[in-house]
Amino acid sequence: MTSHAKPTEAGPVLHVPVPHESAHLHVSGEATYTDDVAELSGTLHAALGLSSKAHAKVTRLDLEPVRAAPGVVGVFTAKDLPGRNDCGPVVQDDPILADGLVQFVGQPLFVVVATSHLLARKAARLAIVEYQDLPAVLTVQDAFEKGLAVIPPMRMVRGDAASALAKAPHLLEGEFVNGGQEHFYLEGQVATAALEENGGVWVHCSTQHPTEMQHHVAHALNVPSNQVHVECRRMGGGFGGKESQSGLFACVAALCAWKLKAPVKLRADRDDDFLITGKRHDFWTTFKLGYDESGRVLGAEATLVSKAGFSADLSGPVMSRALCHFDSGYALNDVRLTGFCAKTNTQSNTAFRGFGGPQGALAMEVAIDTIARRLGVDALDVRYRNLYGDQTGRFTPYGQEVPGDVLPRLLRQLEERSGYRARRAAIVTFNQGSAYLKKGLALTPVKFGISFNATHFNQAGALVHVYTDGSVLVNHGGTEMGQGLFTKVAQVVAHELGVPLAWVRSTATDTSKVANTSATAASSGSDLNGKAAQAAARAVRDRLVEFLAKREGVGAEVIRFEGGLVHVGPKALPFREVVGAAYHARVQLWSDGYYATPKIHWNRETLQGRPFFYFAYGAAVSEVLIDTLTGETRLLRADLLHEAGRSLNPAIDLGQIEGAFVQGVGWLTSEELVWNSASGKLLTHSPSTYKIPTANDCPLELNVALFDDANPEDTIHRSKAVGEPPFLLAFSAFLAIRDAVAATGPARCAPKLDAPATPEAVLRALAALRLMPR
Amino acid sequence: MSEPIRFIFRGRRQELRGVSVQRTVLEWLREDARQTGTKEGCAEGDCGACTVVLAELPGLHTAPTTLAGTRGAQLSVRTVNACIALLPTLDGKALFTVEDLKALAGGGLHPVQQAMVEHHGSQCGFCTPGFVMSLFGVYQTNAQAPSRQALADALAGNLCRCTGYRPILDAGQAMFAPAKVDWDTAGLRAQLEALVRSDTFLYEHDGQRFWAPKSADALAEVFDAHPRARLLAGSTDVGLWVTKKLEALGDVVWVGGVGELKRVERSAERLTIGAAVALEDAYAALTALVPQLREYWLRFASPPIRHAGTLVGNVANGSPIGDSAPVLMALGAELALRKGSRRRTLRLDEFYVGYMKNRLEPGEWIEALSVPLPSPAWRFVAFKWSKRFDSDISAVAAGLAVKVEQGVVAEARLAFGGLAATVRRAAHAEAALVGQPWQEGAVRAAMAALTQDFNPLSDLRASDAARREVAANFLLKLWLQTRDQAPLSPAALSVWAART
């Protein structure tokens, strides 16, 4: 654990582990989430009526029993929408309410509004719906074979893969399947809408993307954007699940409020949330890798097929990022990648921490592991052999240069401090002496590209207000979902104005304050909004400097802002006196700030360019114990080393790293989504059946450290984004399980283990090894 | 005559009328009292965002659990899930939520809260009130910081999706460092004493009645008179009929108000567990008898569920994936049934007759459950197989016992859950063992015979093939762990052993 000095009132506010700005509210129950906001008088409650068929025409929708139910005030369908029936973020194929055709079990058909949440839920179950079944496609393989896709296939090519494969001494052909993942944000989807005067609509919504909510609601109601006002103070978790998928809830709440001219809240029950919303994409990846005796990969071809679900949602961008991360940390100079977003009659899969990156890179890491096993060498050595560098190559399959040598240095450091080699030897000994329990070990790297692939999203705005008493208010386009963005931005502003952090207050993200914002996603929140807020604060400070320089007759260079004081040469003036005086001198004490990420460009047709401003790196070692009689696994120890550049807040960054790791371990072990193979209904639709990690799944020995290295790019105070990259650290746990399974098989065996490695999946892999010749 | 529901909240007595018998404590808190600190994450008792603490007078038959209030009297203090607790069951208790803690600490953050802030135990903060209340439960029932492992077990019913738990576990240990906040419970005790009822509490709303009898005789009488009423204990399953199926329960008879049914008694021959004994207390008593049950106990649901739910309720509910029946069958449990004043006993392995069906007659109920004290001749293990260690529903559960005399299996009780429409014993596998030497050959034969005993389903938890494989391997583990020559320790056979 890295130790850091505790912040003090007058001390530095940057690069210090200050608590989350809302921590004292979280622990006392005083932090207000959307459902906690004091309800307006007369607030009504909505519930959605859901499809019970995976693919069908609706031949009868009798809503009379719903209307007649106690407490019901209104029932609405697609026909009641004044505007466009769509909440698709990229392609317009995502109906808010199904209109005659249902495309997955759980698709909303209608909404009922009643005087209470319970009465609305009861009424929603009373509809009489008749269907005419259509053929339903439920698996990614089935959809691929039928050529069903939500967008055209994508191709990323560099060099000549075919001849490289033909010339390579060894060929590995394989496939890897990973399951999806439910976000399981603890706060489910929720939106409240109310009318404002003159055609205005206010929506308080748990969302990572207020601007998109504003656009969807405006289109659905057929009003201009300036009539729609979307607000979000905080979310109880997002993880990507409230980037586009909050749209349906915002639109339905707004529709109900619009029709009834009353405040309406729509809060999905957890089971409904599972059934309605999309998840992390399952991927089915087939690959051919050519390699030599040293394990160097000479050529690669792969087809990545994702389970998009019934609509495009963000499946295209997710696939772009998957293709951009298939290289993991390795130079592939002759490579040909195909991406296919399969259309299935299931929930429309969406953004989830890593956004396709984990799925792309994991397939490669499994392949590298297999190559090492075939060659009979430690997988870590094959990894070193293939890392980007002067010997292997410096350009990604999409043509971006990978500068520097952070990853090899970071891997060596982790190998050292985790005692990897000695533990490897100890595990071999343990396994020889243990008949039924086996241990496994793996060290895996992370390289993750930072920026939205789509260049135009890489912009942000902020407002900084300095009031005449010296207190400061900051507002920006980013949303707070627990990741600590508001804390980091407040630190940046406090630093810029040289005031204690306690003087800076963050307020709800609000489309009427900063316009045309991007989703808080792609790990970019503090990179973008931190820079924008810095610009805004700096503009105010510059005006104060100009005012003081003139008043005091000094040069600007002798004026310094620190600890709530303004130092003018040897003189120290209280900040609040300075701003008071500046106000009277008619100096503007508030400002906007704007930032657009430099240097990046991306060609969506050729999938070439420099989509990422920089890369973030990390690595992890995991040690597991498995029970060969039950397939149960336990993570005994994990060592994580991850870089956050010059961390703005080491406590928050460590929290992101550990949290992402455990979330990733959940994805790859206990979290299994199961659909009924006949009806297409999601069977794991609540925490009783869908198992995310608990405190007992956090390894008893967990060593986490920041790899200290300033970002060579000019990011906010040389920090690096940290939201998504550490999710990939969890690969080490999965590959350690694979390692333990391999310990039961013949020499050089490579177990067939798909993700998640549930006890049953581990048993299957063990059984397959028992059939192999010794 | 209907009386109001009376309980202590925010230091004052609440008297509620005019709310549904089925209203949950969480609905009341959030929607009626507008106290929104307590969150709804799942409404089924699986995520812990709604965790609250209930304090009550330690009954005649229940030990106090709190060390707090050295100046005042001791209380029973336990966490429960507000989302599936029904409001009338609060009668006579004190309800504490996250909003109470600052007041208990004199206005500032309570040490539990302060530790969570200092150790960065919250990120999005939505699960945090639940964690704070679970930690508060730990704080009140421990004199000093428990081990990290014990803390993780205490937090098994609280899900966090952000932190990965390490900072919360750190906070749980650090919260004991500052001077202990002294909770003066004398006043609260007096308030609770004023709520004690000697006769059956009847609450009625909109034609639906809720009876909370105070004696077993009164319970027998009211249930005999109203045999169609729903008998309710911890509402850890029935609560979901309310919140998920949106069912009307009809009239309710609640066993939780009967002090004498909370009794755990140990005679020279048997351990007897009353109908209202919480799972936590029942498993504590069983594990004291059979230490091998410890891992199984920890894997059974979560602390808040074990505080609310009862062992007898778990048995009476009769789910084929209920975890108690396999171990109780293996231990040779008997049920004491009662209808009015008529009593009879029935062996547990004769109790279930089909999927969610049992031999109870209308108006009949399980007054107590008992197991014989184990003799050294019996070799016993219990296993559970699920995707997650904590609080998961078993794909396979097993209670396995063999009586070995002079190296030969004299009796076998091999009971499995998750393999059939009811929890039941494996007759063929038992037959393959009985009369045979306790050696690998007989065990392998029993493993093979299991295929004749069960024809399990494939479902979201596991395939039929995997269920068979694991069930058979459980028999192998029984043998490996209890064979005469070189038995293996649990540490050589369970990935969880090192933790318990």
Side-chain angles (χ1 to χ4, degrees):
Chain A
M1 209 33 237
T2 317
S3 64
H4 296 273
K6 289 219 167 179
T8 55
E9 176 78 352
V13 293
L14 275 185
H15 313 301
V16 288
V18 292
H20 192 285
E21 45 85 25
S22 289
H24 62 296
L25 305 177
H26 296 153
V27 298
S28 55
E30 293 165 18
T32 44
Y33 301 80
T34 298
D35 192 36
D36 303 337
V37 174
E39 284 175 6
L40 293 164
S41 163
T43 295
L44 300 168
H45 301 268
L48 294 161
L50 310 184
S51 160
S52 59
K53 295 287 185 179
H55 194 198
K57 276 186 193 161
V58 178
T59 53
R60 181 179 171 213
L61 181 60
D62 181 356
L63 297 171
E64 280 318 305
V66 183
R67 279 193 190 95
V72 169
V73 180
V75 182
F76 306 108
T77 65
K79 307 221 169 357
D80 294 298
L81 283 161
R84 199 167 79 194
N85 182 19
D86 177 67
C87 56
V90 181
V91 182
Q92 288 175 34
D93 63 350
D94 232 326
I96 298 164
L97 294 169
D99 193 3
L101 174 74
V102 292
Q103 298 187 78
F104 67 101
V105 177
Q107 184 168 16
L109 276 165
F110 66 90
V111 56
V112 51
V113 185
T115 49
S116 82
H117 183 64
L118 184 63
L119 290 174
R121 287 180 65 211
K122 284 185 171 172
R125 300 190 184 187
L126 300 176
I128 298 165
V129 191
E130 289 172 10
Y131 302 92
Q132 183 190 332
D133 279 324
L134 296 167
V137 175
L138 299 174
T139 68
V140 69
Q141 289 84 356
D142 191 15
F144 183 68
E145 277 157 25
K146 291 188 164 82
L148 297 170
V150 292
I151 52 164
M154 302 177 189
R155 192 143 290 148
M156 180 182 287
V157 178
R158 181 174 179 84
D160 182 356
S163 35
L165 286 171
K167 279 184 268 178
H170 301 286
L171 191 65
L172 169 67
E173 282 189 75
E175 64 173 336
F176 181 73
V177 174
N178 69 261
Q181 185 179 29
E182 161 65 31
H183 301 84
F184 205 81
Y185 25 62
L186 260 288
E187 176 209 33
Q189 300 277 359
V190 54
T192 301
L195 300 191
E196 294 179 333
E197 65 169 25
N198 199 16
V201 184
W202 167 84
V203 181
H204 200 290
C205 181
S206 183
T207 182
Q208 293 170 243
H209 203 346
T211 288
E212 190 169 288
M213 299 306 105
Q214 178 193 26
H215 293 167
H216 285 323
V217 169
H219 291 144
L221 300 181
N222 199 22
V223 300
S225 288
N226 68 0
Q227 278 175 239
V228 182
H229 169 198
V230 178
E231 202 181 326
C232 176
R233 172 57 182 86
R234 63 171 62 79
M235 282 162 272
F239 314 112
K242 294 170 180 172
E243 182 175 346
S244 64
Q245 300 269 319
S246 47
L248 187 147
F249 301 88
C251 289
V252 169
L255 166 68
C256 296
W258 187 259
K259 299 295 280 190
L260 294 168
K261 301 191 173 12
V264 176
K265 183 188 286 185
L266 172 61
R267 174 170 68 82
D269 176 67
R270 177 62 64 177
D271 297 64
D272 288 353
D273 192 309
F274 263 84
L275 289 173
I276 295 167
T277 64
K279 294 138 204 348
R280 181 185 298 283
H281 293 70
D282 322 36
F283 267 63
W284 167 44
T285 300
T286 51
F287 52 81
K288 274 188 210 172
L289 297 186
Y291 60 99
D292 66 17
E293 287 302 323
S294 73
R296 171 73 185 125
V297 176
L298 303 172
E301 274 182 11
T303 301
L304 286 68
V305 185
S306 70
K307 184 176 181 179
F310 84 98
S311 72
D313 189 83
L314 295 165
S315 293
V318 165
M319 182 56 81
S320 300
R321 187 164 280 269
L323 297 175
C324 286
H325 285 77
F326 182 76
D327 61 341
S328 188
Y330 313 120
L332 305 176
N333 299 322
D334 291 289
V335 54
R336 179 184 176 84
L337 305 176
T338 305
F340 188 94
C341 301
K343 177 171 176 162
T344 52
N345 292 110
T346 52
Q347 294 80 359
S348 189
N349 285 333
T350 191
F352 194 150
R353 201 175 204 166
F355 205 71
Q359 294 96 315
L362 179 56
M364 171 56 72
E365 290 298 342
V366 169
I368 289 282
D369 192 68
T370 301
I371 288 172
R373 291 182 188 285
R374 287 187 167 193
L375 293 171
V377 299
D378 194 301
L380 179 57
D381 295 319
V382 175
R383 295 197 161 94
Y384 281 129
R385 180 72 187 87
N386 285 286
L387 292 175
Y388 281 102
D390 293 334
Q391 261 67 56
T392 46
R394 289 219 171 261
F395 285 88
T396 64
Y398 45 92
Q400 176 161 353
E401 188 178 1
V402 181
D405 61 349
V406 176
L407 197 49
R409 283 194 291 126
L410 192 152
L411 284 181
R412 296 272 178 213
Q413 198 183 109
L414 181 63
E415 180 189 339
E416 252 343 86
R417 62 200 290 173
S418 69
Y420 176 82
R421 303 282 173 180
R423 287 166 65 198
R424 163 72 63 208
I427 282 172
V428 170
T429 309
F430 173 89
N431 286 342
Q432 281 162 355
S434 176
Y436 300 101
L437 302 184
K438 299 289 179 189
K439 283 187 178 179
L441 184 74
L443 191 160
T444 56
V446 176
K447 165 183 142 285
F448 197 86
I450 301 300
S451 298
F452 289 93
N453 272 70
T455 306
H456 69 278
F457 290 141
N458 297 289
Q459 57 174 315
L463 292 172
V464 169
H465 296 349
V466 178
Y467 295 97
T468 52
D469 62 356
S471 65
V472 182
L473 185 140
V474 59
N475 188 279
H476 53 82
T479 55
E480 177 62 42
M481 62 194 98
Q483 83 280 42
L485 172 63
F486 279 25
T487 314
K488 287 183 174 179
V489 171
Q491 286 178 268
V492 167
V493 170
H495 173 79
E496 220 52 52
L497 297 174
V499 298
L501 191 53
W503 295 11
V504 182
R505 186 178 174 91
S506 304
T507 55
T509 318
D510 184 329
T511 55
S512 71
K513 290 186 175 156
V514 177
N516 311 330
T517 59
S518 294
T520 307
S523 308
S524 65
S526 36
D527 277 13
L528 298 176
N529 297 290
K531 275 283 194 186
Q534 182 186 43
R538 198 165 274 180
V540 176
R541 193 188 67 189
D542 287 349
R543 287 184 205 125
L544 290 172
V545 167
E546 189 187 349
F547 159 70
L548 276 180
K550 197 164 155 196
R551 191 183 80 176
E552 306 284 324
V554 297
E557 68 286 350
V558 303
I559 300 174
R560 221 159 28 85
F561 291 70
E562 204 177 300
L565 297 172
V566 185
H567 299 271
V568 184
K571 218 160 51 171
L573 307 168
F575 180 76
R576 72 183 57 186
E577 274 178 27
V578 173
V579 299
Y583 167 76
H584 281 102
R586 295 190 296 171
V587 173
Q588 185 186 343
L589 291 175
W590 57 272
S591 177
D592 65 330
Y594 179 79
Y595 176 71
T597 313
K599 299 185 179 178
I600 52 176
H601 54 92
W602 179 242
N603 184 326
R604 289 172 61 166
E605 304 305 317
T606 62
L607 303 192
Q608 295 289 314
R610 177 183 176 172
F612 307 126
F613 189 26
Y614 61 91
F615 296 101
Y617 299 100
V621 184
S622 288
E623 182 175 336
V624 302
L625 183 65
I626 72 165
D627 180 341
T628 59
L629 294 178
T630 63
E632 290 169 296
T633 68
R634 184 169 176 215
L635 180 56
L636 298 174
R637 173 178 167 183
D639 297 73
L640 318 180
L641 183 59
H642 196 88
E643 59 148 13
R646 283 208 68 207
S647 170
L648 290 172
N649 184 323
I652 281 174
D653 287 345
L654 286 172
Q656 287 295 297
I657 293 164
E658 294 173 8
F661 173 72
V662 171
Q663 194 177 66
V665 171
W667 172 49
L668 295 173
T669 58
S670 61
E671 295 184 36
E672 186 177 34
L673 291 162
V674 183
W675 283 265
N676 182 299
S677 59
S679 72
K681 188 185 177 187
L682 178 66
L683 301 175
T684 49
H685 51 74
S686 70
S688 62
T689 46
Y690 183 79
K691 310 313 281 188
I692 72 165
T694 68
N696 267 316
D697 298 306
C698 172
L700 281 176
E701 185 170 358
L702 176 61
N703 304 307
V704 190
L706 294 175
F707 184 79
D708 223 354
D709 208 26
N711 194 340
E713 296 294 350
D714 178 21
T715 53
I716 183 71
H717 296 291
R718 301 283 172 179
S719 63
K720 280 196 177 185
V722 76
E724 296 169 288
F727 184 85
L728 286 73
L729 296 171
F731 295 180
S732 58
F734 179 77
L735 290 170
I737 293 170
R738 195 175 196 242
D739 186 49
V741 171
T744 68
R748 303 197 174 193
C749 70
K752 167 95 179 109
L753 179 67
D754 286 329
T758 58
E760 177 161 359
V762 171
L763 284 179
R764 266 201 309 272
L766 289 163
L769 289 189
R770 283 198 294 272
L771 299 175
M772 285 180 71
R774 303 260 152 180
Chain B
M1 206 185 87
S2 178
E3 293 180 72
I5 304 162
R6 305 179 308 182
F7 59 98
I8 308 299
F9 182 63
R10 302 279 185 262
R12 285 202 293 272
R13 180 196 286 210
Q14 289 282 327
E15 298 207 357
L16 299 183
R17 300 166 213 266
V19 293
S20 167
V21 166
Q22 304 193 182
R23 196 138 182 87
T24 67
V25 172
L26 183 64
E27 287 169 335
W28 179 78
L29 276 171
R30 293 188 57 84
E31 296 180 10
D32 300 350
R34 291 302 302 170
Q35 300 294 298
T36 56
T38 311
K39 309 300 182 195
E40 178 183 309
C42 70
E44 61 176 21
D46 261 292
C47 79
C50 68
T51 307
V52 296
V53 160
L54 296 182
E56 54 188 310
L57 295 173
L60 218 51
H61 310 288
T62 46
T65 53
T66 173
L67 300 165
T70 42
R71 282 183 288 132
Q74 295 208 328
L75 293 168
S76 167
V77 171
R78 283 191 155 173
T79 52
V80 298
N81 297 113
C83 69
I84 49 172
L86 302 187
L87 203 51
T89 66
L90 282 187
D91 190 72
K93 297 174 185 161
L95 169 66
F96 289 91
T97 72
V98 69
E99 292 100 328
D100 286 304
L101 263 57
K102 279 175 154 180
L104 287 181
L109 291 181
H110 189 280
V112 174
Q113 297 169 315
Q114 189 63 40
M116 282 286 280
V117 170
E118 286 176 6
H119 291 268
H120 311 281
S122 71
Q123 286 185 21
C124 85
F126 200 81
C127 70
T128 310
F131 273 97
V132 165
M133 293 313 283
S134 282
L135 288 172
F136 174 61
V138 171
Y139 185 84
Q140 291 304 143
T141 52
N142 288 269
Q144 58 201 27
S147 70
R148 201 185 127 108
Q149 183 60 65
L151 266 173
D153 290 335
L155 297 174
N158 292 89
L159 297 179
C160 169
R161 195 51 152 165
C162 296
T163 64
Y165 300 99
R166 198 266 314 156
I168 300 174
L169 294 169
D170 286 353
Q173 298 203 295
M175 69 189 183
F176 287 92
K180 193 121 184 186
V181 167
D182 194 20
W183 179 14
D184 180 3
T185 52
L188 178 57
R189 189 175 168 104
Q191 284 178 306
L192 288 170
E193 276 165 355
L195 298 182
V196 171
R197 300 178 192 266
S198 49
D199 292 329
T200 300
F201 165 51
L202 168 63
Y203 176 75
E204 188 170 352
H205 176 74
D206 208 7
Q208 188 177 17
R209 289 169 293 186
F210 176 94
W211 288 280
K214 298 297 158 188
S215 69
D217 288 345
L219 195 157
E221 194 177 317
V222 71
F223 194 42
D224 199 32
H226 304 279
R228 294 168 64 89
R230 169 62 50 195
L231 200 63
L232 182 76
S235 73
T236 56
D237 189 32
V238 171
L240 277 70
W241 307 358
V242 172
T243 63
K244 297 297 174 179
K245 295 183 189 164
L246 307 183
E247 271 183 22
L249 296 178
D251 291 338
V252 175
V253 177
W254 186 53
V255 304
V258 185
E260 63 187 294
L261 294 177
K262 294 184 179 170
R263 211 178 302 178
V264 177
E265 282 175 328
R266 187 167 164 172
S267 70
E269 291 88 36
R270 303 189 77 80
L271 179 78
T272 303
I273 293 166
V277 175
L279 283 157
E280 187 73 357
D281 301 318
Y283 271 94
L286 286 167
T287 303
L289 274 191
V290 190
Q292 303 94 297
L293 260 178
R294 186 172 161 74
E295 181 182 302
Y296 197 90
W297 169 18
L298 290 173
R299 295 187 78 164
F300 188 114
S302 64
I305 293 291
R306 293 196 300 261
H307 294 155
T310 62
L311 184 71
V312 166
N314 190 241
V315 166
N317 178 279
S319 164
I321 44 179
D323 278 343
S324 296
V327 296
L328 292 170
M329 275 187 200
L331 292 172
E334 273 184 6
L335 305 177
L337 307 185
R338 181 167 180 184
K339 176 176 162 55
S341 56
R342 191 197 77 185
R343 289 187 164 96
R344 58 174 177 143
T345 59
L346 194 66
R347 282 164 45 153
L348 176 59
D349 52 20
E350 294 172 341
F351 182 63
Y352 302 117
V353 294
Y355 178 72
M356 302 294 272
K357 286 198 173 70
N358 58 43
R359 295 196 193 278
L360 286 175
E361 294 170 12
E364 192 174 36
W365 52 285
I366 305 172
E367 193 167 18
L369 174 157
S370 71
V371 294
L373 301 191
S375 81
W378 280 98
R379 302 173 187 199
F380 174 86
V381 292
F383 298 118
K384 169 167 174 164
W385 190 58
S386 55
K387 291 177 195 171
R388 191 176 72 189
F389 180 86
D390 285 317
S391 192
D392 197 357
I393 297 168
S394 299
V396 181
L400 309 174
V402 286
K403 189 177 186 184
V404 180
E405 289 169 346
Q406 277 106 44
V408 173
V409 178
E411 263 186 78
R413 290 197 291 251
L414 310 176
F416 289 91
L419 299 182
T422 66
V423 173
R424 62 175 168 80
R425 287 169 60 181
H428 291 90
E430 290 179 5
L433 284 182
V434 174
Q436 300 298 316
W438 185 228
Q439 284 172 6
E440 182 163 4
V443 174
R444 296 280 174 192
M447 290 165 70
L450 267 187
T451 55
Q452 293 166 264
D453 283 312
F454 296 109
N455 186 19
L457 293 174
S458 290
D459 67 10
L460 61 101
R461 282 180 268 279
S463 68
D464 58 343
R467 283 187 156 102
R468 285 176 199 279
E469 181 181 352
V470 170
N473 283 345
F474 280 168
L475 286 182
L476 182 63
K477 284 191 176 207
L478 164 68
W479 180 71
L480 291 168
Q481 240 170 284
T482 68
R483 62 189 178 189
D484 292 315
Q485 292 197 325
L488 293 179
S489 73
L493 273 176
S494 166
V495 298
W496 316 115
R499 59 175 302 294
T500 49

